[in-house]
Amino acid sequence: MNLPTVDQAAIDQAVAVLRRGGLVAMPTETVYGLAADACNETAVRSIFAAKGRPTDHPLIVHLACTDDPAGALEHWGQHISDATRALVRAFWPGPLTVVVERSARVLDLVTGGQSTVALRCPSHPWAQALLTRFAEQSGGHALAAPSANRFGALSPTTAAHVWADLGQKPSGRVDLILDAGPCAVGIESTIVDCSCDPPRLLRPGMITEDQLTAVLGRAVLPADAHSPRVSGALPAHYAPHTPLELVDADRFSQRLSELGAQRVAVLAPSSVYLSTAPHWVMARVAPDNAEAYAHQLYALLHELDTSGAQRLLVVRPPQGASWAGLMDRLQRAAAGHQKAAGTSAAEGPPALHPYANHKK
Ligand code: TXA
Ligand code: MG
């Protein structure tokens, strides 16, 4: 995908906003982030306020990429393992977040009081331009940034999504929304907890478990009860306002007729539509490869969610490592509405790890 060339004037304006302690919606290759100076406590506090996110949910610190990406780990983290270095050398800059033991310079507010910090070096040229210029002008500061949406809502993959959900001041909540077009990857980064051995997968993404295993030479483990919490691991997260139901392809047609008079918006692969009577207010074709689907997922869900439908019916994507991130986001989007959708608890998302056991 062609990325837009960096608008240096916009980057300079954004750096000035960040240095004053303001909030900038920053394009990354995964989703748009809501960025603030990670070393300015008041600025970081305003991220939580703008999102309506509880302050004990930790943020990812975004770093400028250097020739030695592993070197940056030592600045923000400590006791960095060889496995962490290997992952970072293989996947940075890119859609991988590593959780490591924090160094003393990381604010408590960024980590939610935990002993670890999440670090990511995004590959998007606008994000890198912003991070590099900001680091130069602030003496090496980095940017704390969650996804630029209200807590629990769908993530934004265009500037228009951020405008619609958070808006720009004075009427909205963000000081400056940068617009670099749609995000290439489209779902949030893969998060690996490298503070334990062996590392554990906290959030699946488009860097797959197979790719992580290939670099590490051994399997990454799933998150467990002792893993730190990830707010994206709440069963219901990344959710549209309209109830969303997942259905197997071979039950799609039947389920649509069961829903009868309800206004339904549907998302299914093209093959499914051939044998289905069109009882819907909006229909969108689900791409049949995981990369294309991830790239479009949130834009499709935003569109279906504003179609006036009473219910969203989405065909469950295929199994397999490359689909794990997508399946995770769709299950979470459906989770808040399972009762209404009449599906059984067994079909719901796996409870990754309870919140009660996080490290303080
Ligand atoms: O792709 C992404 O990761 C995007 C872009 C903007 O970089 N960011 C993103 O941030 O998805 P957010 O805050 O929406 O999700 C980050 C997740 C949260 O679920 C948070 O709980 C988890 O990372 N996290 C942050 N610090 C952590 C830590 N120290 N230990 C475990 N999980 C952590
Ligand atoms: Mg988020």
Side-chain angles (χ1 to χ4, degrees), residues 51 53 146-147 149 155 188 203 237-238:
K51 276 183 70 88
R53 170 162 161 158
S147 51
N149 54 282
S155 293
E188 303 81 355
R203 181 173 72 182
H237 207 79
Y238 314 114

Side-chain angles (χ1 to χ4, degrees), residues 30 53 58 60 62 116 118 120 146-147 189 191 203 229-232:
T30 56
R53 170 162 161 158
I60 297 173
H62 294 66
T116 55
R120 163 160 138 73
S147 51
S189 58
I191 303 182
R203 181 173 72 182
R229 74 225 139 112
V230 176
S231 63

